[in-house]
Amino acid sequence: MKRVLVAGIGNVFLGDDGFGVEVVRRMDVSALPGSVVVADYGIRGVHLAYELLGGAYDTLIMVDAVELDGPPGTVAVLEIDDEPAPDAMPPVNGHGMHPQAVLDLLAKLGGRVPRVLLVGCRPRTIDEVMGLSEPVAAAVEGAVAAVTALARDETYRQSDRERADA
């Protein structure tokens, strides 16, 4: 059975970059279907790419601090094309991998994920400091609810698709 992977991404030592890690830390996995896996990948983007290489997931939901329109703390859900950027070379430093770099590395390794969503939050600060800024911290609970709903919806969407194909 294919699954949904919710991956928290970010560096907790760089202020708001720890947004994705904090969101997955606060998620209640008991409220999710058994086919949803929630994991803190932190700065281990290479590890995430290798986890996805096996093809066990129909949907990847990445949670990360990203530049978005709007003030710090703005949260958005983006559908990501997992096609690699032309001539994309993933960073050699696994600690500096952002969501697109993970997908580019996955493609270079010969893998792909059929559906990729990104729940992003605009950061206020990405500096060497522990803890989220006030507007980003205030966005965490809403992001937890959004990611939970997305993970459930993706599970049911997959089930509906499988019934339609039968």
Side-chain angles (χ1 to χ4, degrees):
M1 176 181 204
K2 297 289 183 170
R3 300 178 294 178
V4 174
L5 175 61
V6 175
I9 299 171
N11 187 336
V12 298
F13 297 110
L14 294 178
D16 292 340
D17 194 49
F19 171 77
V21 172
E22 184 64 18
V23 169
V24 298
R25 186 184 72 76
R26 291 197 196 175
M27 289 184 68
D28 178 5
V29 295
S30 69
L32 294 168
S35 61
V36 176
V37 175
V38 177
D40 168 6
Y41 280 89
I43 58 173
R44 299 181 333 263
V46 173
H47 181 78
L48 175 56
Y50 276 100
E51 174 71 22
L52 296 167
L53 191 57
Y57 300 98
D58 281 334
T59 302
L60 168 63
I61 302 171
M62 293 187 281
V63 187
D64 197 11
V66 296
E67 286 302 318
L68 299 168
D69 290 336
T74 298
V75 175
V77 178
L78 308 168
E79 188 162 356
I80 304 296
D81 179 1
D82 74 340
E83 292 299 317
D87 301 322
M89 183 54 143
V92 175
N93 175 1
H95 296 280
M97 292 188 76
H98 53 81
Q100 189 60 54
V102 171
L103 297 174
D104 290 347
L105 176 59
L106 177 62
K108 293 271 187 205
L109 294 170
R112 70 177 301 274
V113 180
R115 184 161 162 81
V116 180
L117 301 170
L118 172 64
V119 176
C121 180
R122 181 175 182 146
R124 175 189 273 172
T125 183
I126 305 287
D127 291 325
E128 290 183 15
V129 60
M130 292 285 294
L132 302 175
S133 67
E134 187 177 316
V136 172
V140 169
E141 286 306 314
V144 168
V147 172
T148 300
L150 278 173
R152 283 187 191 133
D153 290 349
E154 286 301 307
T155 299
Y156 296 129
R157 189 177 71 81
Q158 290 171 19
S159 297
D160 291 345
R161 194 173 46 218
E162 290 167 7
R163 279 192 289 274
D165 292 342

